[in-house]
Amino acid sequence: MSAGEDRQEAFLTAAATLLGAEHVSLGDDVEDYLDAYALGDARKFLPAGAVRPAEVPEVQALVRLANEHAVALWPIGRGKNLGYGGPAPRLPGSVVIDLGRMNRVVTVDDETAYAIVEPGVSFFDLHEELQVRTSRLWASVPDLGWGSVVGNALERGYGYTAHGDHQQYVCGLEVVLPTGELIRTGMGALPGSEVWALYKGGFGPGFEGMFMQSNLGIVTKMGVWLMPRPERFSACRITIDSEAALPQLVDAMRELKLDGTIDGVVNAANAVGVAAGQSPRERWYAGSGVVPDDVVDTIAGDLGIGRWNVKCSLYGSEALLDVKLARLREVVGRIPGSRVVENRYDGDTAADDIPPGDHFAAGIPGMLLAGGVRWRANGPSGAHIGLCPLSPLTGEHVVAASRIMREHIEAAGFDYIGGWLGTARHAVNVLMIFFDAADPVESQKVATAFTELVVKLAEHGYGEYRAHIEFMDLVAAQFTYNDSSLLEFTRRLKGALDPNGILAPGKQGVWPSHAPTPVQGPAS
């Protein structure tokens, strides 16, 4: 047994005493913490074990033990960040600190419209709690409701209501630092403060952003602003029949977001992307190579969709929705081959009375798109990885990013399953690459294409905003302004706050100067 494995075993033994053996995983049990969608051998990122605290003092004690034994920790909320590594650590041999047992909705305040949640709370959990409390509030939810509310916001994830840019609605964090101290950001530092989750500032510098996509602390509570239930709401779908009209569609969505007509985050997908969410590829095409253009036309006809498809939401009174819808139809109507379909509901309509396809507009969590991994491999080895470069929300830039991704991924033999999320000013350009994780040749093709695309997109000014653990160093290496001064600054912060380098080494390409020695296998 190596010195590193000795340290891991000592840490896990002490953790079992602290938490109870049933809350510590080692040996074969750690395979629950592998990346289900790994590119190649998932054991490349095998953790040494996992620990599952239930209380903040237990998190603090585990962090202190990790410092004592020089063992790296990898925090997760619910481990559902699939397509980005799931629960697996960036540094093999780390111990996963699984916060899933910390699943309390601590506070819901209907009057000032916020909640305070722990990292194990899923979007399903929060929605259910709001229903139980007969709250007037809605949460914004992403495509898959099983993930952590905290984890999604900290990774800068998105949903589709008016609060869909989730990082913008975080207010107040409780954080265990890498040395075990506990802090609360902003006004939470004032004992008895009534505005910790209401006012984003505080007295002095603000630090909430420092703990997003970060290895500088473990967030144990988060304030999140919620949306009051509207009087009425509309779930809208916009389609265009021609790829050539994409620039006009993007520019229209930007203007409608900027002028306040569209309230929610705009979610766009191409025809193949919509099809992938509904059934395996063989329903339409069983041949080799990418789906031919005439088959894409068949898909659009069969599903009643366009070459590009947008869903978005509007909120307000009946009269206000009439005005917004008229404005939306006016602007979109200028685009040749466009259509607008609206479904309108009372704000208090029960979830069962809203078609699942419209749940996005009402903050109702679901799992509708989970089947997309069956597109190329209709079985348990179906997998995906996401590439998400940012651009301005302009037709020129979205089309440019789309063209780069489409040409490159199709040249590698994969379908272009593309889309974009639109706020008022920026677009998250999404490429979903579906592949068969059991096929090493296919996995290697994906890895090669992904690597090349990260570099090529960055050369055009389109940087990734998040990354799979396999590519964190590569993505970080593209941010080279002034000799990579931002990355170096972050590393200096890491050294100051985490002198032993125990917390999530390598996350977002931030490595400590004295990282624990990498261990390539679990403690025996």
Side-chain angles (χ1 to χ4, degrees), residues 476-491:
Q478 308 310 305
F479 290 77
T480 57
Y481 172 77
N482 195 24
D483 294 327
S484 303
S485 56
L486 179 60
L487 182 59
E488 292 306 313
F489 172 69
T490 310
R491 286 172 174 165

Side-chain angles (χ1 to χ4, degrees), residues 337-524:
S338 64
R339 296 184 299 279
V340 176
V341 175
E342 179 221 18
N343 294 324
R344 191 174 297 192
Y345 306 93
D346 287 333
D348 59 0
T349 302
D352 290 345
D353 295 327
I354 301 172
D358 287 348
H359 283 183
F360 74 94
I364 300 168
M367 296 292 291
L368 272 182
L369 298 185
V373 293
R374 301 174 302 167
W375 180 247
R376 285 180 70 96
N378 190 12
S381 61
H384 74 80
I385 186 171
L387 184 76
C388 299
L390 296 176
S391 76
L393 186 62
T394 67
E396 174 188 0
H397 285 288
V398 170
V399 168
S402 172
R403 182 179 299 116
I404 292 168
M405 292 189 291
R406 178 173 185 168
E407 290 177 354
H408 206 85
I409 204 64
E410 289 188 346
F414 296 91
D415 297 313
Y416 172 57
I417 296 174
W420 41 273
L421 305 178
T423 65
R425 293 173 176 83
H426 75 268
V428 180
N429 300 282
V430 179
L431 170 61
M432 295 296 290
I433 308 174
F434 292 113
F435 65 99
D436 185 350
D439 184 338
V441 173
E442 191 161 291
S443 294
Q444 184 56 53
K445 285 182 179 179
V446 172
T448 299
F450 196 101
T451 299
E452 293 168 351
L453 272 169
V454 167
V455 176
K456 189 174 184 66
L457 287 159
E459 289 171 349
H460 287 79
Y462 306 136
E464 290 289 292
Y465 89 101
R466 63 197 295 191
H468 187 282
I469 55 174
E470 184 101 25
F471 302 101
M472 284 180 174
D473 290 334
L474 173 68
V475 171
Q478 308 310 305
F479 290 77
T480 57
Y481 172 77
N482 195 24
D483 294 327
S484 303
S485 56
L486 179 60
L487 182 59
E488 292 306 313
F489 172 69
T490 310
R491 286 172 174 165
R492 289 199 298 274
L493 284 176
K494 178 70 172 171
L497 293 175
D498 187 6
N500 295 321
I502 60 100
L503 189 56
K507 180 168 175 57
Q508 311 310 109
V510 178
W511 293 93
S513 55
H514 299 94
T517 302
V519 177
Q520 297 303 318
S524 59

Side-chain angles (χ1 to χ4, degrees), residues 270-338:
N270 66 354
V272 179
V274 175
Q278 300 196 20
S279 71
R281 186 175 188 258
E282 62 195 26
R283 172 179 170 184
W284 289 285
Y285 184 66
S288 59
V290 302
V291 173
D293 208 51
D294 62 316
V295 176
V296 178
D297 287 334
T298 299
I299 289 171
D302 285 355
L303 298 179
I305 60 176
R307 280 301 188 110
W308 281 95
N309 307 273
V310 162
K311 61 182 184 181
C312 61
S313 49
L314 318 177
Y315 303 100
S317 66
E318 185 76 5
L320 181 56
L321 289 185
D322 286 343
V323 172
K324 288 184 174 184
L325 183 63
R327 169 68 174 158
L328 188 149
R329 290 189 185 279
E330 173 199 355
V331 173
V332 173
R334 301 168 191 161
I335 305 171
S338 64

